[in-house]
Amino acid sequence: MNPNPQGPQLEENKVTTPKISLRNVTKTYSGVDQPAVKDLDLDIASGEILVLVGPSGCGKSTTLRLINRMIEPSSGEIIFDGENVTNSDPNELRRRMGYVIQQVGLFPHRTIAENIAVVPKSLKWPKDRIRARVDELLELTGMDPNVYRDRYPKELSGGQAQRVGVARALGAEPDVLLMDEPFGAIDPITRFNLQNEFLRLQSELKKTIVFVTHDIDEAVKMGDRIAILRDQSEIAQLDTPEAILTNPADAFVVDFLGSGAVLKTLTLRRLRDIQLVHPPEITEQTGRADAAAQLRQSDFPYAVLLDDTRRPIAWVDQKNLDSSDSLDSNSRRIPVKLQPEDTLQEALSVMLQTSAGMSAVVDGSGQYLGTCTIQSLAELLTDQPVDGASL
Amino acid sequence: MSTTNVVDNPETLPARRNQSVSQLDLIVIPVFFVLLAILLTVVWIYSDFDGTTTSILEPDRLWTQAQEQITVALWSTVLVIVLAIPLGILVTREGAPRLKNNLVTVLGLGQALPAYGLLVLFFVAFGQGTLTVVLALAAFALLPVLRNTIVGLEQVDKSVIEAGKGMGLNGFQRLRKIELPLAVPVIMGGIRTATIINVGMATLAYLIGGGGLGITIAAGLKLNRPVTILVGALLVALIALAFDFIGGLAQRYLRPKGLS
Amino acid sequence: MDGIRSWFDYLSSRTDLVVETLLQTLAYVVTVTVAASIVSITVGVLTRHNALAKELSLSIASVFLTIPSLALFTIFIPIVGLGFAPSFIAMFLYALLPIMRNTVAGLDSVDSSVIESAKGMGLTPNQVLFKVQLPLAWPVILAGIRVSALLTVGISAIATLVAGGGLGDFIKSGLARLPLPNSLEAIWTGVILSLVLALAIDVVLRTVGRFSNPSGVRS
Ligand SMILES: Nc1ncnc2c1ncn2[C@@H]1O[C@H](COP(=O)(O)OP(=O)(O)O)[C@@H](O)[C@H]1O
Ligand SMILES: [Mg+2]
């Protein structure tokens, strides 16, 4: 068991005041005995994406809706920018936080531009500022303003509607975005694209984001930190995705991560983080006998064939060297070259495609840096046994 | 399409047209109007009017009756709108769900209420006169508008209201900017129905001394003058069709853009 | 209390008349609803593949509902005379729309994949209609029949004005004798028995629905 499920991040957060804090918050719906959220303490740091993830009905949406006071807490406090907003005007509070829901909820009788302008308008922005802001947001979310500005929501696909939903939430430049399964109703390919675009957007905007999902893969992908919740919004573990995947706090977290948890760490690690290995390097000029000797002395089944500018061309084994054919025609060519920024997940899939069980890593100019093998990945994974798995 | 999503729930099904206007409605109604107008002209020109018929069908008299009929129908419609829409809004606010559900059920059975009997009961209670007719008509035509206001507000996509709330719109703003505009097509359908009911019921106003073209029809019945009956009935039908057509146009053009 | 007592006295002193009038109204409701159901369902079925014909029949049926009841009850008198005939025709025309609209909606709502798979099993178009589409659309059609039946109860009170009988007789005679004794009781009899009859018809049709809906389909 990890003695501190909140992880090390909390200490860091104490240095800068959190953007949003829930203090001992409880929510009991009227007519229900059990609270939906019980004694929750949660700090959300400025500029981070905090993902709330957990099984259906565990209280994720309730927690999110407590933050912008769509529902009122039964007890406890909500602090926003150091100010206690538990009893402030909820409408004024909501205008300072963007809110995105799975069903999007665009106003069907308003154009796209009018939808995005709702909050700026209630804040009485001047007309031309609103118009400029609408176009800016449409550009930002990848929709051509000239095409979409005056359309109605019914003319949009699901993915486009949610782009507008995000644009609308960003309307009056809020510091905070609250997102409740925003990509949950969207087909997998579009969702994948929206997630990537959203991450790119966030790297520019640096908003404070609370993101609800029930999908652990989405949580790992989107979160700077993840809070894994169990019933009544109890925090089972709150930490970076990597820390949670490699060091789950308890059996519940292990269960929730599922059997793919170890493999998921591959999506978080990059080639630059691991030690590359160096099989023998040969060129067309290297004599065959010499090459064969090098290969035999090494532990590797293959040598890497480089061209004059040190670009990797093919994997060469003993059989290739024995035959009289030219090396680069008969051997296993290296079609995909990885770079240090690529994830281990990508390295793995390249290896599985080439059947050599290795992938070559090059620098920005294409020059060979070293090799990643299946063995090095396997060692990495088994080096970090899953604590909770034994429970 | 004149079919709608509430069609399988009879409690929420207004007797007449519901919410969207069929393209054909705006053609079929005028066609019927023209056919009945031709029939009226033919009857008028080719029938032999005896003295009694001539005096009953005196154009000035018919004109006065038509005006009475339309006036009564319009006032009652105004009264219905002023009463039913706020009431419908009130019972759909948070905190009154029980009231609303019971109301919708009762209003559904209200279709079986005989308009004739209601009119006579109002006469007993309030005596003779135009005001009594207006009140009786309003009481009857209240049902579709109230029902459609409730149904119209209830059918608004909850996630749209939720999104509005999330953007800091207060209850009144959500009602004015989201719920009412999106309920307009259904409410308009109710008003159109109410107008037609009012025009139709105003024909019965003669029974309690309220005037209208019913006088002509009744005279024809009493004196056994089929031509008189036909002329009266055709005039009433033409007025009703004209109002329905105007209602159809209003429903079509007051519908918020962007709704499918 | 006195009013209610005297009303019951009024009823019990003329049960024969009450039953007879009630049966007249019931006869209207049954004949009109059956005739309108046959016509409307047939039209709905025949036009199911033709959007224009479908829309046109619905539009025409809704024009009938627009025409004021006294006008529609009297317009046919020059041709068919007074009594049952003009009343029946008027109520029949009124009752068409709710059933037709629900037949169309019911048939439209049958999942096309269900129809596809029925065809795939080698059912003829007629078999698909009678074994798949109509049974699945039936709950919706029945809801339309219920609306038409209730509508007919309410409108049948007008029949008395064209000598067609029914519960409207009480209202008419009460109005004519106002303010003599028993006139008010007569009017209330017409109104209340209409509502009671509507309630009874409602219960019957809901029960029919419970037993005739294909199991697995709950409206
Ligand atoms: N308005 C409500 N009234 C009563 N109970 C509710 C309400 N909303 C949610 N709940 C209950 O509270 C619990 C948490 O719900 P929710 O926050 O929506 O869960 P999640 O978003 O994690 O699926 C569930 O048991 C749910 O049934
Ligand atoms: Mg949820």
Side-chain angles (χ1 to χ4, degrees):
Chain A
M1 280 286 276
N2 186 335
N4 178 10
Q6 301 267 323
Q9 255 63 31
L10 206 63
E11 276 99 277
E12 283 175 29
N13 289 344
K14 274 179 188 157
V15 181
T16 57
T17 49
K19 185 78 180 171
I20 303 167
S21 295
L22 303 187
R23 291 253 192 285
N24 204 19
V25 170
T26 294
K27 171 66 190 181
T28 310
Y29 286 109
S30 64
V32 184
D33 299 338
Q34 296 291 313
V37 171
K38 193 171 149 195
D39 294 336
L40 178 65
D41 280 299
L42 186 64
D43 285 334
I44 300 144
S46 194
E48 75 167 336
I49 301 184
L50 176 73
V51 177
L52 305 179
V53 65
S56 166
C58 71
K60 306 179 293 291
S61 298
T62 304
T63 305
L64 193 75
R65 288 155 57 80
L66 282 163
I67 297 175
N68 65 349
R69 298 200 24 230
M70 296 292 284
I71 48 178
E72 298 295 340
S74 308
S75 65
E77 288 177 350
I78 296 145
I79 318 287
F80 177 41
D81 272 340
E83 172 197 351
N84 186 342
V85 292
T86 320
N87 296 307
S88 68
D89 175 5
N91 292 320
E92 197 255 340
L93 179 68
R94 288 176 203 142
R95 285 184 211 125
R96 291 158 65 193
M97 300 180 172
Y99 182 51
V100 182
I101 55 178
Q102 182 176 337
Q103 309 87 332
V104 192
L106 293 181
F107 299 172
H109 58 306
R110 298 289 176 83
T111 62
I112 305 307
E114 288 167 340
N115 265 284
I116 297 174
V118 171
V119 182
K121 238 172 153 176
S122 9
L123 294 173
K124 307 222 157 44
W125 284 20
K127 275 217 176 76
D128 33 343
R129 182 172 172 208
I130 294 181
R131 199 172 308 127
R133 180 69 182 153
V134 166
D135 285 3
E136 182 191 349
L137 282 166
L138 282 173
E139 300 265 11
L140 208 57
T141 48
M143 315 257 307
D144 182 351
N146 293 319
V147 176
Y148 291 104
R149 198 189 289 120
D150 297 318
R151 292 210 178 165
Y152 284 95
K154 71 173 175 192
E155 300 166 77
L156 302 180
S157 70
Q160 290 174 327
Q162 195 54 288
R163 285 167 200 267
V164 176
V166 171
R168 182 171 72 168
L170 292 169
E173 300 176 359
D175 296 340
V176 173
L177 272 189
L178 307 177
M179 309 179 85
D180 195 344
E181 312 209 13
F183 309 134
I186 291 168
D187 69 89
I189 293 174
T190 312
R191 184 192 314 149
F192 179 81
N193 291 332
L194 285 180
Q195 287 168 340
N196 290 344
E197 284 173 39
F198 186 74
L199 286 174
R200 215 183 45 232
L201 199 66
Q202 164 66 358
S203 68
E204 290 168 33
L205 299 178
K206 307 259 181 339
K207 302 286 180 192
T208 305
I209 296 170
V210 188
F211 189 108
V212 165
T213 177
H214 62 262
D215 175 3
I216 184 67
D217 291 321
E218 187 172 53
V220 168
K221 179 170 181 181
M222 304 303 286
D224 294 322
R225 288 194 304 153
I226 298 177
I228 296 189
L229 303 179
R230 61 176 132 231
D231 247 15
Q232 304 188 326
S233 225
E234 184 194 336
I235 297 175
Q237 188 169 13
L238 172 61
D239 214 325
T240 61
E242 186 164 359
I244 290 180
L245 286 171
T246 55
N247 201 7
D250 60 18
F252 174 82
V253 176
V254 171
D255 250 15
F256 190 75
L257 295 177
S259 50
V262 177
L263 283 177
K264 275 172 204 130
T265 60
L266 294 179
T267 66
L268 295 167
R269 297 272 189 111
R270 295 178 190 278
L271 281 165
R272 70 169 116 75
D273 302 334
I274 65 164
Q275 199 82 55
L276 297 177
V277 294
H278 296 277
E281 297 166 16
I282 58 173
T283 65
E284 287 286 2
Q285 284 77 40
T286 315
R288 297 255 168 147
D290 190 6
Q294 280 193 36
L295 191 55
R296 229 170 296 121
Q297 278 163 28
S298 76
D299 296 336
F300 295 94
Y302 296 93
V304 56
L305 176 66
L306 304 176
D307 72 4
D308 298 343
T309 57
R310 287 190 55 80
R311 291 173 205 271
I313 300 170
W315 301 113
V316 178
D317 67 2
Q318 195 66 51
K319 240 191 278 162
N320 301 139
L321 291 171
D322 292 346
S323 85
S324 53
D325 298 341
S326 95
L327 285 180
D328 67 343
S329 71
N330 208 2
S331 48
R332 294 156 205 267
R333 300 192 60 87
I334 303 175
V336 186
K337 290 145 193 119
L338 295 161
Q339 300 203 354
E341 290 72 41
D342 291 322
T343 65
L344 298 186
Q345 162 92 48
E346 282 156 333
L348 179 62
S349 64
V350 168
M351 281 175 220
L352 295 175
Q353 280 162 27
T354 56
S355 84
M358 311 210 265
S359 53
V361 181
V362 299
D363 65 13
S365 61
Q367 292 206 356
Y368 177 69
L369 290 174
T371 293
C372 175
T373 65
I374 289 258
Q375 285 86 353
S376 44
L377 291 184
E379 275 161 32
L380 185 82
L381 296 176
T382 47
D383 267 1
Q384 285 156 337
V386 178
D387 285 3
S390 55
L391 284 175
Chain B
M1 285 290 290
S2 39
T3 48
T4 69
N5 50 346
V6 289
V7 78
D8 55 354
N9 183 353
E11 246 82 67
T12 58
L13 182 80
R16 287 152 215 248
R17 291 187 186 80
N18 207 4
Q19 52 163 304
S20 45
V21 191
S22 147
Q23 307 281 345
L24 277 176
D25 269 10
L26 295 179
I27 300 170
V28 170
I29 297 170
V31 167
F32 265 80
F33 186 92
V34 170
L35 289 179
L36 294 186
I38 291 173
L39 183 60
L40 178 63
T41 315
V42 169
V43 169
W44 190 274
I45 293 174
Y46 293 101
S47 307
D48 297 323
F49 287 9
D50 57 17
T52 320
T53 308
T54 312
S55 77
I56 298 175
L57 292 185
E58 198 190 316
D60 273 357
R61 187 176 273 179
L62 291 180
W63 178 235
T64 312
Q65 291 170 358
Q67 277 177 318
E68 284 167 355
Q69 176 139 3
I70 292 170
T71 311
V72 163
L74 285 183
W75 276 117
S76 152
T77 304
V78 170
L79 193 60
V80 162
I81 292 172
V82 170
L83 291 175
I85 295 179
L87 190 59
I89 292 171
L90 211 64
V91 299
T92 48
R93 295 309 88 189
E94 278 170 36
R98 285 274 273 312
L99 182 59
K100 174 192 69 204
N101 291 340
N102 293 338
L103 209 56
V104 170
T105 311
V106 171
L107 298 186
L109 277 176
Q111 309 180 96
L113 200 67
Y116 178 25
L118 195 72
L119 194 67
V120 172
L121 286 177
F122 267 72
F123 172 61
V124 173
F126 299 110
Q128 187 172 347
T130 314
L131 186 63
T132 304
V133 180
V134 170
L135 289 178
L137 264 55
F140 197 69
L142 200 70
L143 308 188
V145 181
L146 183 53
R147 187 168 43 190
N148 275 30
T149 305
I150 294 174
V151 172
L153 289 171
E154 289 290 302
Q155 51 95 53
V156 175
D157 187 347
K158 293 290 171 284
S159 64
V160 176
I161 302 176
E162 161 100 356
K165 189 177 174 190
M167 285 186 285
L169 301 182
N170 64 34
F172 179 71
Q173 289 170 324
R174 292 197 296 272
L175 176 67
R176 195 170 61 83
K177 294 187 173 170
I178 306 174
E179 296 179 66
L180 279 178
L182 292 180
V184 158
V186 186
I187 297 178
M188 285 295 302
I191 295 176
R192 187 176 171 198
T193 303
T195 312
I196 295 311
I197 289 178
N198 283 331
V199 171
M201 257 184 91
T203 321
L204 300 178
Y206 80 92
L207 288 166
I208 59 167
L213 283 163
I215 295 177
T216 300
I217 299 176
L221 282 169
K222 194 176 279 171
L223 304 172
N224 193 21
R225 293 291 190 283
V227 173
T228 309
I229 299 173
L230 200 55
V231 169
L234 286 172
L235 280 174
V236 170
L238 287 173
I239 292 175
L241 285 174
F243 272 83
D244 198 30
F245 184 68
I246 294 167
L249 285 181
Q251 226 180 334
R252 175 86 159 276
Y253 292 104
L254 294 184
R255 183 185 182 78
K257 265 194 231 156
L259 299 192
S260 50
Chain C
M1 276 333 256
D2 273 2
I4 294 174
R5 162 99 36 86
S6 76
W7 182 62
F8 276 113
D9 290 345
Y10 176 85
L11 278 191
S12 51
S13 63
R14 60 207 81 206
T15 40
D16 286 355
L17 182 66
V18 168
V19 169
E20 191 195 321
T21 337
L22 207 53
L23 286 179
Q24 280 173 355
T25 296
L26 188 62
Y28 276 129
V29 175
V30 172
T31 53
V32 163
T33 308
V34 168
S37 296
I38 292 170
V39 172
S40 293
I41 295 173
T42 308
V43 170
V45 164
L46 291 181
T47 61
R48 70 188 184 283
H49 297 306
N50 185 336
L52 181 68
K54 201 156 68 178
E55 284 291 298
L56 193 63
S57 2
L58 286 173
S59 279
I60 291 172
S62 59
V63 163
F64 295 139
L65 261 174
T66 302
I67 296 174
S69 46
L70 188 63
L72 201 58
F73 272 79
T74 52
I75 228 163
F76 295 100
I77 290 176
I79 308 168
V80 299
L82 290 168
F84 178 84
S87 310
F88 174 83
I89 296 174
M91 286 187 261
F92 166 77
L93 293 177
Y94 281 139
L96 290 174
L97 181 66
I99 305 174
M100 201 184 293
R101 184 166 53 185
N102 277 25
T103 304
V104 166
L107 290 176
D108 281 351
S109 71
V110 176
D111 197 342
S112 58
S113 66
V114 175
I115 299 173
E116 272 304 295
S117 64
K119 278 187 200 156
M121 289 184 292
L123 270 64
T124 66
N126 273 337
Q127 285 174 320
V128 173
L129 176 65
F130 286 106
K131 297 199 166 158
V132 180
Q133 288 174 286
L134 278 177
L136 287 178
W138 178 243
V140 182
I141 298 175
L142 192 66
I145 293 177
R146 178 177 165 277
V147 171
S148 285
L150 296 185
L151 197 71
T152 308
V153 174
I155 288 173
S156 67
I158 301 287
T160 187
L161 298 178
V162 297
L167 289 168
D169 280 356
F170 285 107
I171 302 171
K172 187 169 76 173
S173 75
L175 177 64
R177 286 184 290 107
L178 269 177
L180 298 177
N182 277 344
S183 57
L184 209 53
E185 281 79 356
I187 296 169
W188 278 113
T189 302
V191 173
I192 290 175
L193 289 189
S194 293
L195 288 179
V196 169
L197 186 64
L199 226 63
I201 290 171
D202 191 38
V203 169
V204 168
L205 285 180
R206 278 178 197 274
T207 315
V208 168
R210 193 153 308 134
F211 289 104
S212 67
N213 287 356
S215 35
V217 182
R218 280 282 164 265
S219 57

